[in-house]
Amino acid sequence: MNRLIFVLLLLMIHLSAKAQEGKSAFDFLNLPTSSHINALGGNNISIIEEDVSVIQHNPALLGPEMNLQLNLNYMRYVAGINLAGATFAKAAGERGAWAAAIQYAGYGSMKQTEANGVITGTFSPKDMAISGFYAHDITDRLRGGIQAKFIYSSYEQYTSLALGIDLGINYYNPDNQLSLSAAFKNLGGQLKRYNENRDKMPWDFQLGLSKTLDHAPFRFSITAQYLNRWKLPYTTPATNEYNSSEEDDITEKESFASNLFRHLIFGVDYIPSQNLYIALGYNYKYRSDMKTYGRNFLSGFTFGAGIKVKMFGIGASIAQQHVGGTTFMFNLMTNISQFIRR
């Protein structure tokens, strides 16, 4: 097993190095698969939950406590984009666990045109990722995990295949309910290109912290993402909505404060019991990326809740990054072992 992981790492590093020639592809890999994490700002790598949907954000969150757990997810994203998937986990002894997942992104039907604008038909672009996971308890408080994923993409006549890998580690102290995580995401590269150009994977290095208060049912989280680069500039219209010019100038904005906060995601959970949570998140990058004069006050905020009833767990979240685009996400979780015992 150690030799296999070592070979996979060498392959991913080699592919990642070759993929730096072009722009990033497969950005759907950065979209949330957990409604709970979506409610916490769209990304979190450190919350400790017996919820197998969180492992696609950090494979080190997988553990034997998720044995025979099945999770289904669906997201109605902006512009009619639909994302759906399933995740299943199985314990591997007392200190390890395996898991498998499939994730699909469909972008609806689009018109197919020639260069002169003549419509010749329609096509339906899509992305898909099939993943395998393994996690192991290194010590009683330290756990490491790995996710390997095979990625397929089809945009009309252009198709691409890629291999990706996520590496994660988590430290959790149950005495003070402190969780610290680090993750390398989307290392790898294309096996088959769309065309003659090679696109790079949207790889990222992330850090996360979650802390539950000692005498109150609140858990606070901070996630730092895109740590492989400091500058995260964004564009914004230069004129105001009352300007009578035919078109607005677009300016690029960047400052120390904006770069700092575009790296950070803040989240808080209210957890009155093990069977209920209410979550709120704030993602400044969401807010600034979608900056328009018609931006809603709630842009950048995310909300969600989840409840467990007998053999099932249900979670839902909502976000309005833009006044014209509300996203909704839903998760359904169950443990197959409970059906077997019945």
Side-chain angles (χ1 to χ4, degrees), residues 25-78:
F26 314 109
D27 288 319
F28 81 102
L29 297 171
N30 290 327
L31 295 175
T33 60
S34 163
S35 61
H36 192 168
I37 286 179
N38 188 46
L40 291 171
N43 189 23
N44 188 297
I45 63 171
S46 56
I47 59 170
I48 303 300
E49 295 284 339
E50 289 189 22
D51 179 356
V52 73
S53 68
V54 303
I55 70 174
Q56 295 200 52
H57 295 266
N58 182 1
L61 300 180
L62 172 66
E65 66 276 5
M66 300 176 184
N67 184 43
L68 298 181
Q69 191 177 117
L70 174 66
N71 188 286
L72 306 177
N73 70 79
Y74 170 77
M75 174 186 275
R76 179 70 173 179
Y77 201 56
V78 296

Side-chain angles (χ1 to χ4, degrees), residues 108-125 154-158:
S109 179
M110 299 183 180
K111 294 179 181 180
Q112 181 176 337
T113 63
E114 295 180 346
N116 58 5
V118 175
I119 299 174
T120 60
T122 60
F123 67 101
S124 299
S154 175
Y155 301 152
E156 205 263 330
Q157 66 185 19
Y158 303 98

Side-chain angles (χ1 to χ4, degrees), residues 151-260:
I151 306 156
Y152 169 76
S153 181
S154 175
Y155 301 152
E156 205 263 330
Q157 66 185 19
Y158 303 98
T159 61
S160 179
L161 300 174
L163 282 178
I165 193 169
D166 293 355
L167 301 172
I169 192 165
N170 172 259
Y171 169 84
Y172 178 61
N173 186 339
D175 297 332
N176 58 16
Q177 298 188 74
L178 172 67
S179 174
L180 302 171
S181 289
F184 285 94
K185 293 186 176 181
N186 302 319
L187 300 172
Q190 288 177 298
L191 301 176
K192 179 181 181 297
R193 309 176 189 182
Y194 293 107
N195 48 39
E196 67 275 5
N197 297 319
R198 184 179 294 276
D199 299 299
K200 64 180 180 179
M201 296 282 286
W203 80 276
D204 190 12
F205 174 58
Q206 302 177 357
L207 296 173
L209 178 152
S210 295
K211 176 69 172 71
T212 302
L213 299 183
D214 293 334
H215 304 291
F218 290 96
R219 176 175 59 196
F220 294 89
S221 296
I222 300 177
T223 303
Q225 57 184 1
Y226 306 115
L227 297 180
N228 51 323
R229 60 186 186 275
W230 165 249
K231 293 184 177 181
L232 294 175
Y234 63 96
T235 58
T236 182
T239 60
N240 60 55
E241 59 183 328
Y242 302 106
N243 194 302
S244 59
S245 63
E246 294 185 359
E247 64 179 45
D248 290 338
D249 294 327
I250 301 298
T251 61
E252 184 176 279
K253 289 198 171 184
E254 179 189 352
S255 65
F256 177 85
S258 69
N259 280 326
L260 175 63

